[in-house]
Amino acid sequence: MEGEIKDVIKYWVEGEISNFVEVWLSVYVSLCYCYLAGKIVQKGMPRFLAFLPIICLFVYLPLKLHTLHLGVTTAFFVAWLSNFKLLMFAFHRGPLSDPSLSFPRFIALACLPIRIRQKPPPEETPQNGHPENTPPQKESSKKKSHRSVVSYATKGVLLASMIKLYDYSDQINPLIIWILYCFHMYFALEIILAIVATMARVSLGAELEPTFNEPLFSSSLQDFWGRRWNLMVTRILRPSVYEPVHKLAEKLLGRELASVPAVLGTFVVSALMHELIFYYMGRARPTGKLTGFFLLHGVCMVVEVAAKKALKSRWRLPRFLSTALVVVFVMVTGLWLFLPEMLRNNADVRALKEYAAIGAFVRDVGRALAFVPSGNATSA
């Protein structure tokens, strides 16, 4: 095992890091071109054709990376989010179409899973020049920020505990290990996106909206997918897929039924993009299970929305029961259709090797620094 870890470290240092830098330099140069083209080229088909080579390049670039964390993260940021933002920008829609965006903010918004929160209007100041009380919104924001720090710290500790627990996987029921994988995926994704958002906040000096909203407290599938889970994807799919399909379906089917093809179409696109991300992960031909997972959730959400409309709030499950049902449904369907695709690509084994390699690398660097003589040491 120690030899495998050293091989992983060597691969990261000699190959993957240089490929990672090359890929992101290509992304940066490409977005510079898109920023200038957006100022010059007319919106619509002319701008779309100008962006098309970049969109194709962004689909190709993740293929140059092979490690799980760098490769999959880059694929999600570039091949999915960036391409959808550029497609919307081509037709003067989406976050990149704001003409007031500075060049740094355009680049950050284009290639990172962030969304800049609109600043509230300035608070009125009393005549003495000092605010009498802290505004309620500000206090609420501080409390929310404090809760976020505590939440991320807790999830970080839980994630580290899970990674350590995998050392004893031979003595644990496989079903429990699979459930741990589900929480591992959620915690790791939220922490990675939070780190990226924090870096962007520091560099941009702007308030950023959260990417997750405690999905474990979802009261319905609509609440889970629409308002709590990976909100950046939701904010991209709504204007790029849901709204255009809803508008077209409204003309063909009427307002009452328009949401059905809009919801299903959104889940189909999400399924296809997940199939692409998983292809980057293992370079294995898709089996269709991921598509089945998202189509199942799309159909169930349509049924759920129809049931809510039919009942018109006359009867509603207690909150704790509805939350438990949502969590169980997502977990069971994930264990059935989603997680096996990750394990088929050996994502669990590769992730643990990469964690071990990073830990060993940091430990070796720490030992090396410990033996560096101090500049104040007195020579004999």
Side-chain angles (χ1 to χ4, degrees), residues 68 166 181 342-353:
L68 190 69
Y166 295 148
Y181 284 157
M342 292 187 65
L343 301 182
R344 185 172 72 101
N345 293 316
N346 293 320
D348 54 335
V349 177
R350 292 165 58 195
L352 293 178
K353 284 183 179 179

Side-chain angles (χ1 to χ4, degrees), residues 288-361:
K289 286 187 177 181
L290 282 175
T291 301
F293 172 82
F294 285 98
L295 284 179
L296 175 61
H297 277 252
V299 170
C300 289
M301 186 186 291
V302 168
V303 173
E304 177 187 86
V305 172
K308 286 181 180 178
K309 289 182 179 178
L311 295 173
K312 294 180 180 178
S313 301
R314 289 193 301 268
W315 182 78
R316 183 176 296 179
L317 289 173
R319 178 62 185 259
F320 76 92
L321 182 57
S322 62
T323 298
L325 288 174
V326 171
V327 171
V328 169
F329 180 76
V330 173
M331 188 78 69
V332 170
T333 54
L335 292 173
W336 172 34
L337 296 170
F338 195 96
L339 190 62
E341 291 300 284
M342 292 187 65
L343 301 182
R344 185 172 72 101
N345 293 316
N346 293 320
D348 54 335
V349 177
R350 292 165 58 195
L352 293 178
K353 284 183 179 179
E354 290 178 17
Y355 288 136
I358 294 171
F361 179 74

Side-chain angles (χ1 to χ4, degrees), residues 105 116-117 119 197-198 200-209:
R105 290 198 174 196
I116 298 177
R117 179 183 293 152
K119 289 185 177 180
T198 301
R201 181 185 295 116
V202 172
S203 60
L204 294 175
E207 285 297 317
L208 306 175
E209 293 189 352

Side-chain angles (χ1 to χ4, degrees), residues 258-294:
S259 63
V260 175
V263 168
L264 294 179
T266 303
F267 274 92
V268 167
V269 172
S270 180
L272 294 176
M273 295 311 301
H274 277 85
E275 295 280 15
L276 178 63
I277 298 298
F278 273 57
Y279 177 78
Y280 290 130
M281 185 187 297
R283 309 295 198 267
R285 181 178 296 181
T287 63
K289 286 187 177 181
L290 282 175
T291 301
F293 172 82
F294 285 98

